[in-house]
Amino acid sequence: MLPTPDLSHLSTDDFEVVYEPAEDTFLFLDALEADAETLKDLKPSICLEIGSGSGCLSAFLGNILGPSVLYLCTDINPHACKCTEMTGTQNKVFLEAINVSLAFPLHDRLKHNVDIILFNPPYVPTLSNEAVGAQSLGTIGGAWAGGMDGMEVTNTFLQYVEQLLSARGRFYLVALKQNNIPIIRQSMLNSHGLRSEIVLQRRAGIEHLFIIRFHREKQD
Amino acid sequence: MVRLITHNLLACHVKDCNTNNFPLEFKDAQIELRETEFNPEFVRGIIPKLEWKALVDTARELGDTTLPLELPEMLDDDFLKNLHHVLLEIHVEDGVMICANCKHVYPISNGIPNMLLAEHEIG
């Protein structure tokens, strides 16, 4: 078993303003660990995490894949960017944090160049205003407030995934049962030609969480 | 910290700013050099992803003239070490990045590039 990244450098003050790893994060770590060998076989050169928060996921991925990979991390929250970089340092992985929404300034240059994309989005269904407000302020609510069906932020990013993914690239997404996973998968296939599987699912309190993996090629 | 490898991937994303929006120009760049372990495999692997001219021009603006104007065919160790230094060891800690086209200013503070846009600038 791979160890969970060391977050001992982050304090309760940090977690007032930055999302603290919880069940969704841990399920994601388990999914990455289950796929560790195939991820290494991809020989990735560029990984991208959207909404990296504490940096826990990318640090974990960095421990799987090692230093021959560029780890780009974006977050709308500047405190999260700082925490991400610190978590990288603490876990001996260089995490490059960019304070931005999704990956817009990278679209031109990373077209079909990203080998692994991770996204634990704000997936909780809320009022639309709440999601839009939290995204524009870059506050901690932006880590969970997902607007209508919990899909407002996710849907925006899903439009760009295919353009970013390399030929053998993989995209991992956290979703909640209420996000309507069959519809997400069907529309990614129909609109973007991306196939998918459910890697793991788990009930945690009131949440029924899924990790979905998207890619181009057929898999056994 | 903005390393030149990351700078080489960032374009201006202001609404309707689609030409001459890369590379962003550094201004008032505060540089720190931080030694990192040389990893030839990583450097070789990243070369196909680079915009070479943008990288060389930016490195020269920041005072590093070790890279040739054309990407050499033979990638020897000396070359890879210079490239390693430019990509991974030059850290811009403070300053701004400016779009040559629309003149949008992206600040870097405490080593974090702020690429956020205001509502009216979003495409």
Side-chain angles (χ1 to χ4, degrees):
Chain A
M1 243 184 75
L2 291 166
T4 302
D6 179 3
L7 299 179
S8 61
H9 55 291
L10 300 179
S11 66
T12 48
D13 285 352
D14 291 316
F15 292 129
E16 295 278 319
V17 286
V18 175
Y19 186 73
E20 182 169 5
E23 287 304 326
D24 50 344
T25 321
F26 301 132
L27 184 66
F28 211 143
L29 297 184
D30 290 344
L32 294 175
E33 182 162 11
D35 274 6
E37 290 311 312
T38 26
L39 291 175
K40 285 188 221 171
D41 289 344
L42 280 178
K43 300 207 183 317
S45 61
I46 299 181
C47 298
L48 170 66
E49 181 179 359
I50 306 297
S52 57
S54 66
C56 182
L57 286 175
S58 281
F60 188 79
L61 187 65
N63 284 333
I64 294 175
L65 299 174
S68 296
V69 181
L70 178 66
Y71 300 96
L72 298 165
C73 297
T74 70
D75 205 296
I76 50 168
N77 176 346
H79 302 288
C81 291
K82 207 66 219 170
C83 290
T84 291
E85 286 203 346
M86 285 160 61
T87 297
T89 307
Q90 183 81 4
N91 292 276
K92 302 184 172 52
V93 180
F94 202 104
L95 302 181
E96 202 98 20
I98 303 165
N99 186 201
V100 76
S101 172
L102 307 179
F104 293 109
L106 298 164
H107 285 186
D108 288 354
R109 290 282 293 112
L110 288 185
K111 194 163 195 271
H112 295 164
N113 262 325
V114 187
D115 302 304
I116 300 170
I117 303 175
L118 310 180
F119 191 19
N120 183 358
Y123 53 66
V124 179
T126 61
L127 292 173
S128 186
N129 285 347
E130 196 175 346
V132 173
Q135 288 298 310
S136 64
L137 293 171
T139 49
I140 192 168
W144 53 266
M148 180 121 71
D149 299 324
M151 284 299 290
E152 289 191 27
V153 180
T154 307
N155 276 337
T156 306
F157 186 64
L158 291 182
Q159 297 172 54
Y160 302 107
V161 169
E162 192 281 330
Q163 293 171 39
L164 288 164
L165 270 191
S166 69
R168 300 200 304 150
R170 285 161 169 247
F171 165 52
Y172 290 85
L173 176 72
V174 182
L176 211 54
K177 190 158 199 230
Q178 295 96 299
N179 299 148
N180 203 337
I181 290 161
I183 286 188
I184 299 174
R185 296 179 60 193
Q186 195 62 45
S187 87
M188 287 300 272
L189 184 62
N190 295 348
S191 310
H192 304 288
L194 294 179
R195 299 165 191 278
S196 59
E197 298 86 36
I198 292 177
V199 191
L200 281 178
Q201 53 174 305
R202 188 176 293 160
R203 283 175 203 276
I206 55 164
E207 294 190 334
H208 188 173
L209 294 158
F210 293 75
I211 309 290
I212 319 169
R213 174 181 60 214
F214 297 88
H215 51 90
R216 290 201 165 79
E217 79 274 19
K218 275 190 177 160
Q219 284 181 344
D220 301 329
Chain B
M1 51 307 269
V2 182
R3 301 187 296 179
L4 294 199
I5 192 170
T6 306
H7 172 264
N8 199 259
L9 300 174
L10 292 173
C12 180
H13 63 120
V14 168
K15 186 180 179 180
D16 299 329
C17 181
N18 306 314
T19 54
N20 195 27
N21 60 344
F22 171 87
L24 301 172
E25 290 169 10
F26 281 115
K27 199 174 161 238
D28 303 326
Q30 303 289 315
I31 291 169
E32 245 181 63
L33 299 180
R34 294 197 201 166
E35 238 177 84
T36 323
E37 196 176 336
F38 176 49
N39 178 348
E41 188 193 348
F42 175 75
V43 179
R44 270 178 206 279
I46 210 76
I47 289 174
K49 318 273 186 190
L50 298 173
E51 279 285 343
W52 188 254
K53 188 181 180 311
L55 180 69
V56 174
D57 289 350
T58 305
R60 289 181 182 214
E61 280 168 31
L62 298 180
D64 188 299
T65 56
T66 55
L67 295 181
L69 287 174
E70 299 284 334
L71 182 65
E73 284 181 21
M74 281 290 293
L75 306 176
D76 61 34
D77 244 26
D78 278 349
F79 168 75
L80 291 176
K81 278 183 181 155
N82 287 337
L83 183 53
H84 161 83
H85 176 71
V86 167
L87 288 175
L88 307 177
E89 296 188 325
I90 300 177
H91 295 231
V92 179
E93 293 290 327
D94 252 289
V96 297
M97 297 183 289
I98 303 172
C99 173
N101 181 44
C102 77
K103 309 298 175 201
H104 188 87
V105 175
Y106 297 97
I108 300 166
S109 57
N110 297 316
I112 306 284
N114 176 350
M115 305 295 291
L116 295 167
L117 297 176
E119 201 70 41
H120 66 278
E121 298 164 327
I122 297 172

